[in-house]
Amino acid sequence: MPDGARFCPECGTPVVAGAPSSDSRRIVTALFIDLVGSTVLAETLDPEALRRTMDRYYRACTTAVTEHGGVVEKFIGDAVMAVFGAFVTHEDDALHAVRAACAVRESVAAIATGPGVRLDIHCGIASGEAVVAGVLGGAARVVGDVVHTAARLQSHADPHEILIGEETAGLVGGRVRMEAVAPLRVKGKREPVAARRVLSVLDAASREDLVPLVGREGELRVLWAEFAEARDERRSRPVTVAGPPGIGKSRLVREFLDRVGEDAVVLRAGCQAFGAGLAHRPLAEAVWSLPGGWEQAQRALETLRPGADRAVTALAVALGVRTGSGLPVSVDEIGWAFRRLLEALGRDAPVVLVLEDFQWAQPTLSDMVADLAEGARDTPLLIICVTRAETGAAVPAGDLALRLDALPPAQTERLVELLADRAEVAAQEAVATDDLARVVRECDGNPLFAELLLENLAGHRAVDQGVPTSIRVLLTAWLDRLPATDRAVLERSAGVGGSFTAEEVRALAEDEPALADGVLDDALGRLLRSRVIHPYGPPGTYRFTRALARDTLYEMTSKARRATWHTVLADRLEGGAPGPAAEGDAAHHLESACRLRSEADPGDPGLPALTGRAARALVTTGYGALHRRDLPAAVSLMERGRALTPDGDPQHRVLAARITDAYAALGRWDSARRAVAEAERRNGGDAPTRDTCAILRRLIALRSGGPEPAGAPYAPGGGPAVPGPADDLSWCRLHQLSSLRSFAEGRVGAAEGSMRDALSRARGLGDTYEGNRILASICELTQWSPTPLTQAIVLCEELVRRFDGDRSLLVPVLLTRARHLALSDRVDAAREDIALVRVHCDDLALALGTLAADQTAGFVESLAGAHLTAAGHYGAAADGLAALGQTRTAATLRLYAARERFCTGHGPGPDAAELADPPADQPEETRTRAVRLALRARARARAGAYGDAVGDAGRAVAALDGTDDPCLIGDVWFEAARVLDAAGEPERARHAAGRALDALTAKEAVLPARTVRAWSTAGPEEDR
């Protein structure tokens, strides 16, 4: 909370310093509610029906009191005692108590009990001094005469009547319509008690006001300067506009856009607190915000070459104007296509992208926006992210941050004067000195708070009674002044979400006959004209002009009703056209319905089925996000689905596998281990779950570099334990574990075989996600396995076609094909694949893909004899991997770079440190050891130390024991042949060259095999 703040910057609740924890003397308002005729009710109803009826009565009382900021102090038979202002005093605590009583009266009257039976209550309310014992957020015990007075007023009230004491009447003032009753003689009071009967709670009329922007000239100059720099230098400029709710962030941006006018192409969108991982939705809404919508975007994209068709397809799927085919279009593709659209639009005019409510942006969307700011080329682009934030809150790194603080007093006074003129405040001339000054003082320089406080002065309330300081209450009063049909439409609009369509609202209005026959459309028209809502995103979509009004309406609606509405929306979505957006929204609505239903009626017999639907929807949407590589959203969705999945459900082990996949891709190994532990806790009695989890633990240990506990099941030496024969999931992961172990030991053929066994099990599961992952792994393994190149290239060609829609999978396949093509003596084709990979990695900001391209380029250029070029590529890959913490792989690549420099025959040889044996406690992988020893052997041979050179060559060959990588075998044996020839051992050299040729020929590696043959035929002694 900012120092000195008088309103909560998030919800608008007034801040009261020094809220007590116990035994505090305070001014409180006590409310007593009692059921009328409970004895007759008990005689009339069956005991079970009576219990249910009483539960509903108590729930109605508790809900109303809680929703109006009160605390239920106790239940006394059929009576309920509640207290307002027990821990935090508000100027309108008495008004809250009256409203709570009215709400209970309406709710109880609506409770159905049976034919001829009607529930009713009578209430008493009193205000005064009392001692409050308790802690904030807990129970309250209130002691004082005010409690007895409220109880006595309740006992004198007639059915359906609310009586309030004189102190309460003075506090609520003109906000409640009431009438005096005869003074009451009550037990325990020496004097008659004055009282009033509540007739209704009054609300002032609503009015929407528009005034010129006051202040913010400095911020406008900054925005204009950023725009001018982006325009003149044709580059991207990101700006964050941050501040608390109501401070004028959106107003500032609107003023800036008005000044920009037609000098720029403007795209606007907003983020939402939900969306189930659909991080691309704001980008789609931005496209719809163009004057020509999708058609304008399509025309712009079609001017691009190359990549126009791919970009059009990705954005069309994101906007829902085209159905995807094959693999889902990944969020990376959508982000790339959107960036290309901005680049196309920016050819003719500067582009301004405005993203409202950026505090709700998912991590994937934040990354997309960062990529836009960094990756848009030759594009005058200003990105404005509007976000709620307290003073000092963090903003995206590298962005210019405009933090809007409260208006200074002089500007606040000017704003209040303008608002008062527009609102035509009653008796303004007479009250300006006092009341307008009070608004200036209480609004804390917040324009929205000033507007709502001033609107409150337009109501039928005496000036000297004061105004509420809770902005939530002010919004409620404004909403209550709307016509009944408009209010009903807005309630349902708020139930839909941040944006809504008329059809969605209509679906929620089927239970309200008053909204039929065009009434709903008329109400939407009035709300549009009064600017309560405004068009937003795709045609026919709307959004609340005041986001806080939507939040207030939503919170004011009963949880049971909200739960019903969310269920209706989910049913509607599940019965409509399938797609990621529909799945994500349905999951959100089902999750919300489940939460609200469990809070409102935890004994609801339909709750288990609803919970199951919500769990399945969240999990399914999470799997879709995982397939699209939207990893943060995937984890969030799957974990929320897991939380709703009952203990003992076999789905827990599948979730464990998927969640660990996502965390592994994010490098969060501890989180992956916790996901396995959670599955064991929730379904540990199930043998297949235990098997899957044990295998997942071994996989995590091996992939993260952690130790595998000796003797554990599925660990080396852990015994003969195997999963059940029909347990495809456990077997699939066990084969992957075996593959990783074999690869680490250099047995690449065995690793590939295990992966093919895993693929067979994945197909048995019908799991295309798992199958695609495994196919990509098999393809990569063919780089080092004995699989002949002709077969390996056929697999690559198949996967290039299959993965064309997902370039994150396509990149490793293309790099594998490049290696195979180079080995097959098609170096130019290999270079083309690498160049294509670099384009894809640049488009999608795939840093690891770029480093892999450098590594592959080093391999290809080495085969082509361009050793200095190869050394540069290997060095770049090594530096990049080292910066990412992958030091072991970086060390191996530095050896390759050193070998390439050595092969040129110029310059200094490899550093002694690069060729030194590692410490005993840091074992080397087979490949690294063999390459290091072979390079050291050649260096020593060149220096004339033939004995040491031959010894190193022998150790290099010995390091190959157990490996079946034909290219590594051929490479090391050929290096040994050169060393032996240089040392004057031609027979052994020819034998070594023959071993190299056999391995390379079996792999069908034409280019290196030809090099070995040429050397053998020429019989050079270059190293002697």
Side-chain angles (χ1 to χ4, degrees):
M1 186 70 66
D3 292 339
R6 300 181 62 243
F7 294 99
C8 171
E10 291 299 325
C11 68
T13 301
V15 177
V16 179
S21 59
S22 64
D23 294 344
S24 173
R25 185 181 296 270
R26 308 180 58 77
I27 300 295
V28 302
T29 296
L31 164 63
F32 266 80
I33 308 167
D34 193 21
L35 194 61
V36 175
S38 58
T39 302
V40 175
L41 191 67
E43 292 175 348
T44 305
L45 296 179
D46 180 86
E48 292 186 21
L50 176 63
R51 182 188 64 79
R52 283 193 291 270
T53 298
M54 294 304 297
D55 284 348
R56 292 178 183 135
Y57 159 68
Y58 289 130
R59 189 179 301 120
C61 295
T62 303
T63 300
V65 168
T66 302
E67 287 183 346
H68 289 83
V71 176
V72 173
E73 202 264 7
K74 66 179 71 172
F75 297 92
I76 312 166
D78 301 329
V80 177
M81 175 191 167
V83 184
F84 294 76
F87 298 114
V88 178
T89 298
H90 304 89
E91 292 183 13
D92 49 5
D93 284 329
L95 180 61
H96 281 313
V98 174
R99 284 178 170 163
C102 293
V104 172
R105 185 169 61 181
E106 294 175 5
S107 298
V108 170
I111 295 176
T113 57
V117 180
R118 179 178 180 273
L119 293 187
D120 212 340
I121 61 168
H122 52 160
C123 303
I125 303 174
S127 302
E129 193 173 57
V131 172
V132 180
V135 294
L136 183 62
R141 187 164 64 90
V142 182
V143 180
D145 182 61
V146 63
V147 176
H148 303 292
T149 301
R152 297 295 178 255
L153 290 170
Q154 172 263 306
S155 65
H156 280 74
D158 292 332
H160 208 64
E161 190 172 64
I162 301 171
L163 294 180
I164 64 175
E166 197 68 15
E167 287 289 338
T168 304
L171 288 172
V172 299
R175 289 167 288 184
V176 174
R177 190 163 67 90
M178 50 195 162
E179 62 183 13
V181 300
L184 304 176
R185 288 284 181 179
V186 301
K187 184 178 178 181
K189 292 286 186 178
R190 291 189 296 269
E191 299 294 330
V193 175
R196 294 174 182 265
R197 180 184 298 113
V198 172
L199 302 178
S200 64
V201 177
L202 300 175
D203 296 310
S206 171
R207 186 150 186 175
E208 185 75 27
D209 301 317
L210 295 174
V211 298
L213 180 67
V214 175
R216 311 301 189 199
E217 287 299 326
E219 291 87 349
L220 282 170
R221 284 194 296 272
V222 171
L223 284 175
W224 188 262
E226 292 296 304
F227 172 75
E229 184 170 346
R231 178 194 60 201
D232 297 340
E233 297 183 9
R234 298 191 63 80
R235 64 189 185 97
S236 300
R237 298 293 297 169
V239 179
T240 297
V241 178
I247 204 66
K249 304 180 293 294
S250 298
R251 182 68 180 85
L252 170 70
V253 173
R254 288 197 302 272
E255 183 73 16
F256 166 70
L257 294 178
D258 286 343
R259 298 189 183 187
V260 170
E262 298 181 356
D263 293 336
V265 178
V266 178
L267 300 90
R268 301 191 68 169
C271 307
Q272 297 184 127
F274 70 93
L278 301 177
H280 63 274
R281 176 175 293 178
L283 305 186
E285 291 179 350
V287 175
W288 283 117
S289 73
L290 288 168
W294 165 241
E295 289 76 13
Q296 179 181 352
Q298 186 174 11
R299 288 194 301 270
L301 287 171
E302 287 172 349
T303 65
L304 299 174
R305 289 292 183 272
D309 292 340
R310 185 186 295 275
V312 169
T313 298
L315 270 191
V317 171
L319 269 65
V321 299
R322 185 180 301 177
T323 302
S325 59
L327 289 173
V329 176
S330 70
V331 291
D332 290 333
E333 291 286 346
I334 294 169
W336 166 78
F338 186 76
R339 173 161 59 81
R340 295 291 282 154
L341 170 62
L342 298 186
E343 291 172 350
L345 294 171
R347 291 180 175 181
D348 300 322
V351 179
V352 179
L353 171 63
V354 179
L355 295 171
E356 298 269 4
D357 294 327
F358 203 69
Q359 71 274 6
W360 302 123
Q362 297 182 12
T364 302
L365 177 60
S366 297
D367 292 341
M368 285 181 176
V369 173
D371 291 341
L372 285 175
E374 297 173 2
R377 301 164 181 148
D378 191 31
T379 303
L381 172 62
L382 180 64
I383 303 173
I384 304 176
C385 297
V386 183
T387 182
R388 290 185 189 179
E390 296 182 15
T391 302
V395 297
D399 286 12
L400 171 67
L402 286 180
R403 301 183 186 275
L404 301 194
D405 296 320
L407 292 173
Q411 293 180 359
T412 304
E413 290 176 5
R414 176 58 180 158
L415 174 64
V416 170
E417 290 171 1
L418 290 170
L419 289 170
D421 290 338
R422 291 298 301 266
E424 298 179 355
V425 176
Q428 178 187 345
E429 297 298 326
V431 300
T433 302
D434 296 330
D435 291 321
L436 297 186
R438 181 177 180 179
V439 171
V440 171
R441 183 174 65 254
E442 292 193 355
C443 76
D444 283 341
N446 184 299
L448 176 61
F449 294 178
E451 179 182 355
L452 295 175
L453 286 165
L454 206 39
E455 284 182 4
N456 225 34
L457 288 178
H460 306 290
R461 176 172 14 90
V463 173
D464 60 359
Q465 296 300 326
V467 296
T469 56
S470 168
I471 296 303
R472 188 175 295 276
V473 172
L474 292 177
L475 283 167
T476 302
W478 167 72
L479 291 165
D480 285 344
R481 293 194 295 269
L482 293 173
T485 52
D486 293 9
R487 169 66 179 268
V489 168
L490 284 179
E491 285 176 344
R492 288 159 176 78
S493 303
V496 175
S499 58
F500 57 91
T501 67
E503 291 308 311
E504 288 170 327
V505 177
R506 203 181 315 279
L508 301 185
E510 292 181 355
D511 62 342
E512 182 55 72
L515 296 178
D517 300 327
V519 174
L520 187 148
D521 293 324
D522 291 343
L524 284 174
R526 286 192 299 273
L527 294 169
L528 277 168
R529 289 190 296 274
S530 62
R531 303 190 183 185
V532 176
I533 62 175
H534 61 272
Y536 186 85
T541 304
Y542 308 98
R543 195 177 182 92
F544 279 81
T545 300
R546 291 172 171 172
L548 291 178
R550 183 265 163 188
D551 296 343
T552 301
L553 263 173
Y554 183 78
E555 292 296 332
M556 289 174 60
T557 305
S558 71
K559 290 182 177 180
R561 198 173 199 189
R562 281 185 270 162
T564 300
W565 285 350
H566 282 300
T567 305
V568 168
L569 291 167
D571 292 343
R572 183 174 181 271
L573 287 163
E574 290 182 342
E583 288 180 358
D585 284 351
H588 157 73
H589 288 301
L590 287 170
E591 182 184 25
S592 299
C594 178
R595 172 178 53 80
L596 292 165
R597 184 73 67 193
S598 64
E599 294 171 357
D601 190 2
D604 186 339
L607 186 57
L610 178 61
T611 302
R613 282 185 68 192
R616 290 189 295 273
L618 287 166
V619 168
T620 299
T621 309
Y623 290 169
L626 185 62
H627 209 164
R628 295 190 301 273
R629 305 296 190 275
D630 192 355
L631 299 178
V635 166
S636 173
L637 287 160
M638 290 188 290
E639 289 187 338
R640 283 151 50 200
R642 180 183 64 189
L644 297 178
T645 302
D647 291 352
D649 193 305
Q651 185 69 28
H652 280 295
R653 73 185 186 118
V654 182
L655 278 166
R658 293 289 184 269
I659 294 173
T660 55
D661 287 344
Y663 278 131
L666 292 168
R668 296 170 57 182
W669 299 110
D670 287 342
S671 297
R673 294 183 183 94
R674 285 194 292 270
V676 175
E678 181 67 6
E680 291 171 328
R681 185 183 72 82
R682 301 287 298 276
N683 198 31
D686 176 62
T689 299
R690 290 197 302 272
D691 288 335
T692 300
C693 289
I695 295 165
L696 290 174
R697 287 189 182 280
R698 308 283 85 74
L699 277 166
I700 292 169
L702 193 59
R703 294 176 67 186
S704 66
E708 290 191 55
Y714 310 111
V722 294
D727 186 356
D728 285 329
L729 177 59
S730 293
W731 274 109
C732 181
R733 294 303 171 115
L734 181 57
H735 288 313
Q736 293 178 53
L737 176 63
S738 299
S739 177
L740 285 174
R741 286 175 175 155
S742 297
F743 185 79
E745 295 165 0
R747 297 183 296 109
V748 189
E752 183 182 336
S754 293
M755 273 298 181
R756 292 186 182 278
D757 291 337
L759 179 62
S760 176
R761 290 287 184 167
R763 288 170 173 164
L765 288 167
D767 191 336
T768 56
Y769 163 77
E770 190 89 345
N772 286 338
R773 289 176 60 250
I774 294 170
L775 274 171
S777 297
I778 292 172
C779 180
E780 288 188 84
L781 285 171
T782 60
Q783 297 176 78
W784 307 285
S785 74
T787 299
L789 288 178
T790 52
Q791 296 179 28
I793 291 174
V794 168
L795 175 60
C796 288
E797 300 289 353
E798 175 190 343
L799 296 188
V800 165
R801 291 189 294 272
R802 176 179 295 203
F803 297 156
D804 183 63
D806 187 347
R807 287 187 280 179
S808 58
L809 284 176
L810 181 62
V811 161
V813 174
L814 287 173
L815 291 177
T816 299
R817 187 173 70 175
R819 290 176 62 99
H820 293 339
L821 291 172
L823 289 168
S824 302
D825 197 20
R826 287 181 279 176
V827 172
D828 288 340
R831 287 169 175 156
E832 289 176 4
D833 272 355
I834 294 171
L836 182 58
V837 165
R838 292 192 187 278
V839 171
H840 293 333
C841 292
D842 191 33
D843 284 346
L844 304 183
L846 302 177
L848 284 174
T850 299
L851 297 177
D854 279 327
Q855 183 177 348
T856 305
F859 177 82
V860 171
E861 297 305 327
S862 177
L863 288 175
H867 296 296
L868 275 180
T869 302
H873 287 305
Y874 279 132
D879 291 343
L881 289 171
L884 295 174
Q886 298 187 25
T887 54
R888 295 182 66 178
T889 305
T892 301
L893 293 178
R894 288 197 174 99
L895 275 176
Y896 289 163
R899 185 176 69 174
E900 296 304 317
R901 290 191 296 271
F902 177 85
C903 288
T904 65
H906 305 290
D911 294 337
E914 292 177 314
L915 302 179
D917 292 331
D921 60 347
Q922 297 179 16
E924 288 178 297
E925 294 181 350
T926 297
R927 174 176 298 276
T928 304
R929 176 172 173 77
V931 171
R932 180 181 58 80
L933 289 170
L935 177 58
R936 191 168 73 185
R938 290 201 63 195
R940 284 176 168 174
R942 179 174 291 179
Y946 298 120
D948 291 338
V950 171
D952 280 340
R955 284 188 287 273
V957 169
L960 298 175
D961 288 347
T963 187
D964 55 0
D965 178 348
C967 290
L968 178 63
I969 292 170
D971 188 17
V972 172
W973 273 109
F974 186 37
E975 297 285 48
R978 293 183 175 190
V979 169
L980 290 168
D981 181 74
E985 300 188 35
E987 290 300 322
R988 292 181 64 191
R990 279 193 293 274
H991 171 74
R995 293 290 298 271
L997 192 59
D998 289 344
L1000 295 171
T1001 302
K1003 183 65 177 176
E1004 301 177 352
V1006 174
L1007 183 55
R1010 188 171 65 223
T1011 300
V1012 174
R1013 286 194 190 94
W1015 183 90
S1016 299
T1017 301
E1021 297 181 359
E1022 72 222 60
D1023 294 315
R1024 182 169 298 175

